[in-house]
Amino acid sequence: MNTTMNRTPRSIRTTRLAAALACAAAGLLSAGAHAAGEAKNVIFFLGDGMGPVTVTAARIYKGEKQLAAKPGSLVSPERANLVMQSLPYAARVKTFSLDGQTTDSAPSMAAYMTGVKMRNEVISMSSDTTAVDSTGKQYINGENTTCLPTNGKAAETLLELAKAKGRAVGAVSTTRVGHATPATTYAHICNRNGYNTIAEQSVPGHANYNPKLLDGIDVLMGGGQRNYLTSAGTKRTDGVDLVAAMTAKGYTYVDNGTKLKAVDTAATGKLLGLFSQSEMAYELDRVKQNLDQPSLSDMTEKALGVLSKNDKGFFLMVEGGRIDHALHGTNAKRALEDTLAFDTAIQTALTYMEKKDPGLKNTLVVVTADHDHAIAFNGYPKIGNPILGLVNGYADGKPSKAIDGKPYTTLVFGNGGRPNATAGSDVNAEDGNKKWIAPARAATRDDQTAMDTTDDNFLQEVGINLGSPGAETHGGGDVMLFAGGAGSKIFKGTMENIKVFNKVKEAAGL
């Protein structure tokens, strides 16, 4: 039998493929056109450094917690569900910056907010902007900018576009409010480390105020008192109390969780919350140390209470910023705890908006990360193996061993720091100066058999030692994006980070 008689000729197959692609393209175009302007409300969630491994590990960690609280509620922890992964549309995002295969947080978040590809350390500026001079010196003096007025131009942000439409706007973070991610929504600066200048851009009436914010950003919450206040610990050099300047413009100011809880959003037009000198506490420490700081969910709910009163709509950015910091420290437990706190904030927003906007017919929710980290999911652990534990193999359930005969953990890092001779590098200053538990990176590996790898202060093993804890780098891999609500159907496929801006702008009619 001549089997070639049953084959479709190549020319016909090619024609059919072209037709199918054309139909698909037409479908995408019609979907995009249909999405235009659907969402008058936008909630943009950013898990800083929350790459695919972190998301997966957090899901398993959530499952472990669920089973501990309610045995038998899951077949295994791997089958748990994160709220972010319940959103109906998903995509992958390429994160490289203009000058780096691996991006810094500033240009990656700025790409989402402006649609402009820029250099590392640049905040919402044109592509020709540089963060350093010709000698490599950063354009900063302390935490004040030394950027030249000729060094690039401001790139308009989604928050500014929403404000121009008469919508309410806000930014919430567990980092300083002037840290890279929140700053990209409302500020423009050639170097992200000019925190004092970034703060000034948020203050109506200040000489450095960003006029695109019109009467002011409506909600701004996170850490960073030292860039706004002139009290002890301040980084300000001009003696100007920016909080006083903002309260004079009608802002309600709160500096702890108790005060935030007491805020009546119905009677509050503008809200400023600064809850720590620098970054806010990790969720693990906030809870265990009973700190009077609000959770990310608390801040998200209050922000929505203020912003959602605007009939024209709103734009809110919510960042789980300390996920990134824990990953830099190769402290997986704190990273996973903060990821779950971030996921809880997403649930808070969905629940709140479902009551205000049933079916999210006018509300777009986007959840993504700005970049990945050098974290890896390691070995062949059995189902139900503790995600923070040593690997026990699926075949025999026994500890898996490296070539040196020693066990290893599921989560490891390609690089990072270890406690060393540097003063303070062996203790966790955010947890009462308790000692880090950190397998050494030397000629031979430490035996982790007797180590408590689930301890709050355990630092996962690293492949390349870059110095002290906190030295771990970002990763250059693609990240995940999840979307739901009005206009969310256009978020699918693989795209560059600058294209996310276009899709949010289209969906929101900005």
Side-chain angles (χ1 to χ4, degrees):
M1 179 178 179
N2 186 353
T3 56
T4 59
M5 295 294 291
N6 295 322
R7 294 175 183 167
T8 304
R10 180 177 302 213
S11 59
I12 295 177
R13 293 201 308 272
T14 303
T15 302
R16 288 177 179 172
L17 176 60
L21 289 172
C23 288
L28 287 172
L29 288 171
S30 63
H34 183 62
E38 286 183 15
K40 70 174 186 178
N41 308 316
V42 175
I43 310 174
F44 194 100
F45 283 95
L46 194 287
D48 201 313
M50 189 186 69
V53 170
T54 301
V55 172
T56 302
R59 189 190 75 238
I60 296 171
Y61 189 55
K62 178 181 181 180
E64 292 174 9
K65 286 174 170 283
Q66 182 176 330
L67 283 167
K70 190 177 180 181
S73 57
L74 291 170
V75 175
S76 73
E78 293 78 11
R79 291 167 172 80
N81 295 302
L82 292 176
V83 176
M84 67 182 84
Q85 293 181 310
S86 71
L87 297 173
Y89 295 94
R92 297 282 285 198
V93 182
K94 304 172 187 177
T95 63
F96 62 90
S97 69
L98 187 64
D99 60 349
Q101 283 184 338
T102 300
T103 187
D104 164 49
S105 292
S108 52
M109 182 59 175
Y112 292 148
M113 292 297 105
T114 68
V116 177
K117 187 75 79 171
M118 56 198 78
R119 292 179 172 88
N120 281 354
E121 299 189 271
V122 174
I123 296 280
S124 298
M125 297 286 287
S126 54
S127 293
D128 58 337
T129 308
T130 59
V132 298
D133 64 21
S134 58
T135 68
K137 184 179 185 299
Q138 294 193 67
Y139 283 116
I140 53 170
N141 179 17
E143 294 195 358
N144 299 303
T145 187
T146 59
C147 294
L148 302 173
T150 54
N151 185 8
K153 297 178 180 178
E156 196 167 37
T157 72
L158 288 171
L159 184 147
E160 291 169 343
L161 289 167
K163 191 70 176 178
K165 285 275 190 178
R167 299 176 187 179
V169 297
V172 168
S173 177
T174 52
T175 67
R176 284 167 278 180
V177 295
H179 215 269
T181 296
T184 62
T185 67
Y186 66 84
H188 306 275
I189 194 166
C190 76
N191 189 297
R192 59 176 287 180
N193 297 304
Y195 292 106
N196 286 335
T197 310
I198 291 169
E200 292 159 6
Q201 292 190 30
S202 71
V203 183
H206 194 281
N208 290 327
Y209 180 59
N210 175 9
K212 287 290 187 74
L213 298 178
L214 303 179
D215 66 337
I217 188 168
D218 300 289
V219 174
L220 186 61
M221 287 192 283
Q225 293 170 354
R226 69 188 194 183
N227 299 114
Y228 282 79
L229 295 170
T230 56
S231 51
T234 185
K235 293 294 183 179
R236 299 208 57 78
T237 56
D238 58 4
V240 177
D241 185 332
L242 299 184
V243 170
M246 293 183 79
T247 55
K249 292 292 184 179
Y251 281 83
T252 295
Y253 173 63
V254 291
D255 59 5
N256 60 46
T258 301
K259 291 177 182 177
L260 180 63
K261 190 172 292 186
V263 168
D264 178 5
T265 56
T268 303
K270 294 194 182 300
L271 178 60
L272 172 67
L274 302 174
F275 305 105
S276 58
Q277 282 278 29
S278 184
E279 324 303 347
M280 293 179 67
Y282 289 109
E283 180 68 5
L284 185 70
D285 301 316
R286 186 189 74 84
V287 173
K288 284 195 170 186
Q289 298 174 30
N290 196 29
L291 300 177
D292 194 6
Q293 292 184 10
S295 67
L296 188 59
S297 290
D298 295 335
M299 293 190 288
T300 299
E301 186 166 19
K302 286 295 184 180
L304 290 172
V306 174
L307 301 178
S308 63
K309 295 182 298 181
N310 189 318
D311 292 337
K312 293 182 180 179
F314 65 84
F315 175 90
L316 172 64
M317 190 289 298
V318 179
E319 182 198 22
R322 302 224 64 194
I323 300 168
D324 174 72
H325 296 170
L327 291 168
H328 277 301
T330 67
N331 183 202
K333 186 170 186 177
R334 282 184 172 81
L336 301 188
E337 289 281 358
D338 266 53
T339 302
L340 293 187
F342 176 70
D343 200 53
T344 300
I346 298 168
Q347 182 62 70
T348 295
L350 293 174
T351 301
Y352 187 96
M353 290 310 301
E354 186 61 37
K355 294 176 182 175
K356 299 278 288 190
D357 179 24
L360 302 182
K361 293 179 181 178
N362 301 292
T363 303
L364 170 65
V365 177
V366 175
V367 181
T368 190
D370 49 352
H371 55 76
D372 199 355
H373 269 269
I375 187 173
F377 198 115
N378 200 34
Y380 290 99
K382 66 178 183 178
I383 283 290
N385 200 74
I387 194 63
L388 294 174
L390 297 171
V391 173
N392 292 294
Y394 72 89
D396 57 12
K398 296 179 180 179
S400 299
K401 304 289 180 68
I403 193 68
D404 59 8
K406 299 172 185 177
Y408 51 86
T409 54
T410 301
L411 298 179
V412 296
F413 286 80
N415 65 58
R418 299 288 88 176
N420 54 37
T422 305
S425 71
D426 62 334
V427 297
N428 182 1
E430 297 193 55
D431 191 15
N433 286 324
K434 292 177 183 175
K435 292 276 188 179
W436 293 118
I437 302 171
R441 183 59 185 168
T444 58
R445 295 174 60 237
D446 280 349
D447 190 340
Q448 299 175 63
T449 303
M451 292 183 182
D452 182 2
T453 62
T454 67
D455 188 274
D456 295 350
N457 296 307
F458 181 80
L459 305 184
Q460 268 64 27
E461 203 167 6
V462 303
I464 300 171
N465 190 345
L466 296 179
S468 302
E472 183 264 358
T473 71
H474 294 170
D478 297 352
V479 297
M480 296 185 281
L481 179 148
F482 311 101
S488 60
K489 64 179 72 69
I490 60 176
F491 291 89
K492 52 189 174 182
T494 300
M495 66 192 79
E496 280 192 47
N497 49 14
I498 55 175
K499 299 302 181 183
V500 174
F501 166 83
N502 296 328
K503 291 182 181 296
V504 175
K505 184 172 182 285
E506 175 187 344
L510 297 175

